[in-house]
Amino acid sequence: FHCEHTDEVTCLAKHPSRTLVATGQQGAVPSILIWDYEAAPDGGNLPTVRSITGVHRRAVSCMAFDESGKFLVSVGTDTYHTVAVLDWENQTVRCSATSCSEKTLCVGFTHDGTGVVQCGVNFMRFWSISGRNMTYQSGVLGTIGQWQPFLCMGHVGNRTVVGTQDGHLYVMAG
Protein backbone atom coordinates (compact mmCIF):
# COMPACT_ATOMS: atom_id res chain seq x y z
CA PHE A 1 0.00 0.00 0.00
CA HIS A 2 0.99 3.60 -0.58
CA CYS A 3 -0.69 5.67 2.14
CA GLU A 4 1.00 9.06 1.97
CA HIS A 5 -1.65 11.08 0.13
CA THR A 6 -3.74 13.36 2.33
CA ASP A 7 -6.80 13.65 0.06
CA GLU A 8 -8.51 11.88 -2.86
CA VAL A 9 -6.13 10.45 -5.47
CA THR A 10 -7.27 11.86 -8.81
CA CYS A 11 -4.79 10.56 -11.41
CA LEU A 12 -1.76 8.39 -11.95
CA ALA A 13 0.99 7.81 -14.50
CA LYS A 14 3.43 4.89 -14.72
CA HIS A 15 7.10 5.57 -15.41
CA PRO A 16 8.10 4.11 -18.82
CA SER A 17 11.13 2.12 -17.63
CA ARG A 18 11.40 2.15 -13.83
CA THR A 19 9.12 0.68 -11.15
CA LEU A 20 7.69 4.10 -10.34
CA VAL A 21 4.21 5.60 -10.37
CA ALA A 22 3.27 9.27 -10.07
CA THR A 23 -0.06 9.97 -8.38
CA GLY A 24 -1.83 13.29 -8.02
CA GLN A 25 -4.41 14.33 -5.49
CA GLN A 26 -6.99 17.00 -4.83
CA GLY A 27 -6.70 19.70 -2.16
CA ALA A 28 -6.12 23.43 -1.85
CA VAL A 29 -2.46 22.85 -2.79
CA PRO A 30 -2.38 19.27 -4.09
CA SER A 31 0.69 17.05 -4.06
CA ILE A 32 2.17 14.85 -6.72
CA LEU A 33 3.88 11.83 -5.18
CA ILE A 34 6.26 9.56 -7.07
CA TRP A 35 6.61 6.16 -5.43
CA ASP A 36 8.18 2.77 -6.11
CA TYR A 37 5.60 0.01 -6.51
CA GLU A 38 8.15 -2.79 -5.97
CA ALA A 39 9.95 -1.37 -2.92
CA ALA A 40 7.89 -3.38 -0.41
CA PRO A 41 7.58 -6.91 -1.82
CA ASP A 42 6.17 -8.27 1.43
CA GLY A 43 3.18 -5.93 1.42
CA GLY A 44 4.57 -3.12 3.54
CA ASN A 45 4.20 0.60 2.93
CA LEU A 46 5.47 1.66 -0.51
CA PRO A 47 7.91 4.55 -0.07
CA THR A 48 7.61 7.96 -1.71
CA VAL A 49 10.64 8.69 -3.87
CA ARG A 50 9.76 12.35 -4.60
CA SER A 51 7.04 14.74 -3.49
CA ILE A 52 6.11 17.83 -5.50
CA THR A 53 3.76 20.42 -4.00
CA GLY A 54 2.81 23.97 -4.93
CA VAL A 55 2.53 23.58 -8.69
CA HIS A 56 -1.27 23.31 -8.93
CA ARG A 57 -4.41 24.41 -7.10
CA ARG A 58 -7.60 22.41 -6.32
CA ALA A 59 -6.42 19.10 -7.83
CA VAL A 60 -4.18 17.42 -10.37
CA SER A 61 -6.46 16.13 -13.12
CA CYS A 62 -4.07 14.18 -15.34
CA MET A 63 -0.37 13.38 -15.80
CA ALA A 64 2.02 11.53 -18.10
CA PHE A 65 5.74 10.78 -18.22
CA ASP A 66 7.73 11.46 -21.35
CA GLU A 67 9.29 8.46 -23.12
CA SER A 68 12.62 8.93 -21.33
CA GLY A 69 10.96 9.18 -17.91
CA LYS A 70 12.87 12.36 -17.11
CA PHE A 71 9.89 14.69 -17.34
CA LEU A 72 6.32 14.51 -16.06
CA VAL A 73 3.54 16.69 -17.46
CA SER A 74 0.63 17.52 -15.17
CA VAL A 75 -2.56 19.56 -15.44
CA GLY A 76 -4.28 21.28 -12.53
CA THR A 77 -7.96 22.01 -12.01
CA ASP A 78 -7.43 25.68 -11.26
CA THR A 79 -9.55 28.15 -13.25
CA TYR A 80 -7.31 27.98 -16.33
CA HIS A 81 -6.12 24.36 -16.04
CA THR A 82 -2.42 25.12 -15.71
CA VAL A 83 -0.12 22.77 -17.62
CA ALA A 84 3.28 22.09 -16.03
CA VAL A 85 6.27 20.10 -17.23
CA LEU A 86 8.21 18.87 -14.22
CA ASP A 87 11.76 17.64 -13.86
CA TRP A 88 10.44 15.34 -11.16
CA GLU A 89 13.78 13.97 -9.94
CA ASN A 90 15.04 17.49 -9.20
CA GLN A 91 11.56 18.58 -8.03
CA THR A 92 11.59 21.60 -10.34
CA VAL A 93 9.17 23.06 -12.86
CA ARG A 94 10.78 23.05 -16.30
CA CYS A 95 7.98 25.23 -17.71
CA SER A 96 4.30 25.95 -17.20
CA ALA A 97 1.45 27.87 -18.78
CA THR A 98 -2.19 28.63 -18.14
CA SER A 99 -4.44 26.91 -20.62
CA CYS A 100 -8.21 27.42 -20.84
CA SER A 101 -11.30 27.27 -18.68
CA GLU A 102 -12.60 24.05 -20.26
CA LYS A 103 -11.97 20.78 -18.43
CA THR A 104 -8.85 18.85 -19.43
CA LEU A 105 -9.48 15.12 -19.95
CA CYS A 106 -6.05 13.87 -21.04
CA VAL A 107 -2.48 15.01 -21.46
CA GLY A 108 0.69 13.48 -22.86
CA PHE A 109 3.94 14.29 -24.57
CA THR A 110 4.26 14.50 -28.34
CA HIS A 111 5.67 11.41 -30.07
CA ASP A 112 9.17 12.94 -30.09
CA GLY A 113 8.96 14.28 -26.53
CA THR A 114 9.55 17.90 -27.53
CA GLY A 115 6.03 19.12 -26.76
CA VAL A 116 2.79 18.34 -25.00
CA VAL A 117 -0.67 17.37 -26.25
CA GLN A 118 -3.60 18.49 -24.07
CA CYS A 119 -7.18 17.47 -24.85
CA GLY A 120 -10.47 18.18 -23.16
CA VAL A 121 -14.01 19.40 -23.55
CA ASN A 122 -14.15 20.98 -27.02
CA PHE A 123 -10.44 21.66 -27.34
CA MET A 124 -7.16 20.10 -28.42
CA ARG A 125 -3.85 21.90 -27.90
CA PHE A 126 -0.39 21.10 -29.15
CA TRP A 127 2.13 22.81 -26.88
CA SER A 128 5.69 23.65 -27.97
CA ILE A 129 8.38 24.01 -25.33
CA SER A 130 11.20 26.52 -25.71
CA GLY A 131 13.32 26.82 -22.59
CA ARG A 132 10.92 27.81 -19.79
CA ASN A 133 8.22 28.96 -22.22
CA MET A 134 5.23 27.09 -23.61
CA THR A 135 3.12 28.17 -26.58
CA TYR A 136 0.30 26.26 -28.23
CA GLN A 137 -1.50 25.76 -31.49
CA SER A 138 -5.05 24.47 -31.48
CA GLY A 139 -5.78 21.25 -33.31
CA VAL A 140 -7.31 21.69 -36.76
CA LEU A 141 -10.25 19.42 -37.53
CA GLY A 142 -11.03 20.42 -41.10
CA THR A 143 -14.53 19.90 -42.48
CA ILE A 144 -15.06 16.33 -41.24
CA GLY A 145 -14.13 16.55 -37.55
CA GLN A 146 -16.40 17.94 -34.86
CA TRP A 147 -15.45 19.82 -31.71
CA GLN A 148 -16.55 17.68 -28.76
CA PRO A 149 -14.97 16.16 -25.65
CA PHE A 150 -11.67 14.52 -26.57
CA LEU A 151 -11.26 11.74 -24.03
CA CYS A 152 -7.86 10.16 -24.65
CA MET A 153 -4.77 10.42 -26.81
CA GLY A 154 -1.85 8.32 -27.95
CA HIS A 155 0.50 7.94 -30.89
CA VAL A 156 0.72 5.83 -34.01
CA GLY A 157 4.17 6.40 -35.48
CA ASN A 158 4.68 10.14 -35.52
CA ARG A 159 0.97 10.99 -35.50
CA THR A 160 -1.23 11.82 -32.55
CA VAL A 161 -4.48 9.86 -32.28
CA VAL A 162 -7.34 11.34 -30.24
CA GLY A 163 -10.43 9.46 -29.04
CA THR A 164 -13.73 11.35 -29.22
CA GLN A 165 -16.97 11.26 -27.26
CA ASP A 166 -18.94 10.13 -30.30
CA GLY A 167 -16.72 7.05 -30.77
CA HIS A 168 -14.39 8.25 -33.49
CA LEU A 169 -10.61 8.37 -33.60
CA TYR A 170 -9.02 11.45 -35.09
CA VAL A 171 -5.53 10.87 -36.53
CA MET A 172 -3.82 14.25 -36.56
CA ALA A 173 -1.41 15.15 -39.36
CA GLY A 174 2.06 16.36 -38.42
Side-chain angles (χ1 to χ4, degrees):
F1 293 100
H2 183 267
C3 303
E4 295 182 33
H5 280 287
T6 57
D7 212 325
E8 292 178 23
V9 176
T10 54
C11 59
L12 65 85
K14 187 192 173 302
H15 192 280
S17 60
R18 294 170 59 185
T19 59
L20 301 174
V21 173
T23 47
Q25 71 176 49
Q26 75 172 23
V29 183
S31 295
I32 296 171
L33 302 180
I34 295 92
W35 48 278
D36 188 332
Y37 61 83
E38 288 190 353
D42 297 327
N45 193 32
L46 299 168
T48 296
V49 176
R50 294 286 188 277
S51 176
I52 302 167
T53 304
V55 176
H56 297 294
R57 299 294 178 262
R58 297 187 191 150
V60 182
S61 64
C62 43
M63 297 184 297
F65 283 99
D66 73 335
E67 189 174 296
S68 74
K70 178 173 174 54
F71 296 108
L72 178 71
V73 61
S74 60
V75 179
T77 62
D78 55 278
T79 303
Y80 294 106
H81 297 93
T82 299
V83 179
V85 176
L86 310 169
D87 178 344
W88 66 269
E89 286 190 280
N90 294 311
Q91 297 171 292
T92 59
V93 177
R94 177 180 177 197
C95 54
S96 68
T98 56
S99 181
C100 58
S101 60
E102 290 82 11
K103 183 177 181 179
T104 298
L105 301 173
C106 64
V107 69
F109 283 89
T110 55
H111 68 86
D112 60 4
T114 62
V116 169
V117 181
Q118 177 193 20
C119 298
V121 178
N122 300 319
F123 78 93
M124 183 185 324
R125 290 187 170 184
F126 293 85
W127 292 89
S128 297
I129 299 170
S130 178
R132 293 188 52 81
N133 298 312
M134 296 179 74
T135 56
Y136 73 88
Q137 292 184 340
S138 291
V140 177
L141 301 183
T143 58
I144 297 173
Q146 294 180 330
W147 289 104
Q148 59 186 298
F150 299 106
L151 306 174
C152 58
M153 57 83 49
H155 302 290
V156 176
N158 64 351
R159 292 182 165 193
T160 299
V161 180
V162 178
T164 67
Q165 182 178 356
D166 67 2
H168 295 117
L169 295 170
Y170 291 178
V171 180
M172 308 305 290

